[in-house]
Structure formats: structure tokens, C-alpha cells
Amino acid sequence: MSDAISFDDFLKVDVRVGTVVQAEPYPEARKPAIKLWVDFGGDLGVKKSSAQITRHYEPEELIGKQVMAVVNFPPRQIGKFMSEILVLGVPDEDGEVVLLTPDKPVPQGGRLF
């Protein structure tokens, strides 16, 4: 387990729900990845991410899927692609990413609490 943090520290991490509106293979990445465009609605709008999720997901099946993402990290250059958010997942038994998603549809941009 990591070191304990305060609730105020937790609140600094802005985790929101968004819907994947576009997804494309990213063969130029060092590790197999998919480029995602996620719509958070409101002021956040559409943000981009590169995610190493090719083991369990195909780009076309991700369209319309709600995902959880950290939206307040600084952008990060991933090869020739600028990633603006960190889409969240957990490892399966082989260490491959399984996306975190709400189990029921929820409004765009909802914040994790």
C-alpha cells in the first residue's frame, strides 16, 4: 500500500467520466496502443489520450463507451501524439489493462468522489 494521503490530497486529482467519441490504432507507439478522443461535455469538451489497451479492446468497440480519466495532469507527448488525459484501468491476471467504467450510464463530466 502507498503512503497515506489526506482527503484534500485526493481532491486534487480530478477524475471524470467521459464517452469515447473516436478511437484509432496507434501503430507508431513504442508499445501497442490506441488513440482515444473522449468527450467530457461542458467546459472540458473532447480530450485526447494514448492508451495501451490493445489486448482487450479494438478501436471500433470503444466508440460510445464511458471511461474514467484523470483530466488535470499536464499534457504529455506520446510519440507524435499529445495525450491530454490519463484514461484509468486496472491490470488483469496477465498485467494487461482493463478500463475503469461506470456500471450504469452517467452524465458526461461527472467527477469521481
Side-chain angles (χ1 to χ4, degrees):
M1 186 163 86
S2 299
D3 294 337
I5 62 171
S6 71
F7 188 71
D8 287 340
D9 288 336
F10 169 75
L11 290 176
K12 291 176 185 176
V13 181
D14 193 353
V15 178
R16 304 282 180 125
V17 63
T19 302
V20 177
V21 294
Q22 183 178 344
E24 299 175 1
Y26 190 20
E28 303 87 6
R30 271 185 278 159
K31 293 183 180 178
I34 297 175
K35 293 190 254 184
L36 300 173
W37 286 260
V38 181
D39 186 1
F40 296 93
D43 292 339
L44 284 173
V46 176
K47 301 287 184 187
K48 302 179 298 186
S49 185
S50 171
Q52 296 172 359
I53 57 174
T54 57
R55 176 74 178 268
H56 293 297
Y57 305 97
E58 294 293 332
E60 58 275 0
E61 75 181 78
L62 291 165
I63 307 300
K65 185 176 195 63
Q66 288 195 304
V67 295
M68 302 301 297
V70 176
V71 298
N72 65 333
F73 284 154
R76 183 174 175 183
Q77 192 75 40
I78 309 292
K80 295 180 180 180
F81 188 75
M82 183 62 73
S83 187
E84 302 171 302
I85 58 172
L86 175 65
V87 176
L88 299 175
V90 294
D92 68 7
E93 60 277 352
D94 296 323
E96 299 292 338
V97 179
V98 175
L99 293 171
L100 291 180
T101 63
D103 67 350
K104 295 183 181 359
V106 295
Q108 304 270 83
R111 186 168 181 172
L112 176 75
F113 58 82

